[in-house]
Amino acid sequence: IKELQSDETSYSGDRKQAIDKITSATSFFRKAGIAGVIIFAVISMLIIFNTIQMAIFNRRDELTIMRLLGASTNFIRGPFIVESIMYGIVSGVISIIIIRSVFSISAKTFEASSLGLLDIQYANQYFSKHQWLFIGLQLSVGIFIGALSSLIATRRYLKFKTSK
């Protein structure tokens, strides 16, 4: 019993420093990942926003005629929202393909190198088990970002046109 009491705890000395470094690195990468997601979401909104603005600019004569004939704002806004939702779906599918490919390649690379630090089989099983959840989330976020940026773009255009 004395031997057990005299043993050093696992969270002390060099082990403590290593654990603290790993914890701080994990925290940093988590924060950097969240910041990256936010930055890329804003960039994708701006790209879709500009695409819809160009589509509105190219169809401005048609939109003016639709306004003169008494079309409602929702009737004018509808095709642009559907178009941006389609952009969101396509971008979601492309991102799923890219992420799955990168994950598959990195899993093979980590399996080939005998690091022993990562349990690639567990990660691959987790991704496969929750694949539909990831696909649904990516498509939902793509549709949401597309629809939101389209609503903002058409709102600005329709306010601009009604104020003249």
Side-chain angles (χ1 to χ4, degrees):
I1 296 177
K2 273 192 169 180
E3 284 183 30
L4 292 175
Q5 291 175 350
S6 67
D7 281 346
E8 196 175 308
T9 62
S10 64
Y11 187 67
S12 63
D14 291 338
R15 291 179 183 164
K16 180 183 184 312
Q17 289 175 351
I19 291 170
D20 289 343
K21 285 181 182 178
I22 291 171
T23 303
S24 66
T26 303
S27 175
F28 169 76
F29 285 122
R30 182 175 291 126
K31 290 175 185 173
I34 291 170
V37 166
I38 291 170
I39 288 169
F40 284 120
V42 169
I43 289 171
S44 65
M45 282 186 71
L46 290 173
I47 290 171
I48 293 174
F49 178 81
N50 285 335
T51 303
I52 297 300
Q53 284 289 89
M54 288 189 304
I56 289 171
F57 181 75
N58 288 335
R59 299 180 195 154
R60 66 184 179 273
D61 294 335
E62 296 171 29
L63 297 177
T64 304
I65 292 171
M66 290 170 74
R67 276 282 195 189
L68 291 173
L69 293 175
S72 68
T73 54
N74 289 333
F75 187 80
I76 295 172
R77 186 179 287 164
F80 296 109
I81 293 173
V82 171
E83 183 178 348
S84 65
I85 287 173
M86 296 304 291
Y87 291 143
I89 290 172
V90 169
S91 65
V93 168
I94 290 172
S95 72
I96 290 167
I97 291 169
I98 290 171
I99 288 172
R100 186 64 179 165
S101 301
V102 168
F103 185 77
S104 177
I105 291 168
S106 64
K108 289 177 185 174
T109 304
F110 281 124
E111 278 183 37
S113 66
S114 58
L115 291 175
L117 297 174
L118 300 172
D119 188 5
I120 297 301
Q121 291 293 9
Y122 175 75
N124 202 12
Q125 289 172 357
Y126 181 82
F127 189 81
S128 296
K129 186 178 180 181
H130 297 94
Q131 183 173 357
W132 293 109
L133 175 67
F134 293 135
I135 290 171
L137 283 173
Q138 284 184 302
L139 289 176
S140 298
V141 169
I143 289 169
F144 175 75
I145 289 173
L148 181 65
S149 58
S150 177
L151 283 171
I152 294 169
T154 55
R155 188 173 176 201
R156 279 188 60 196
Y157 173 78
L158 294 175
K159 278 187 179 179
F160 177 70
K161 286 309 240 184
T162 56
S163 64
K164 281 189 169 185

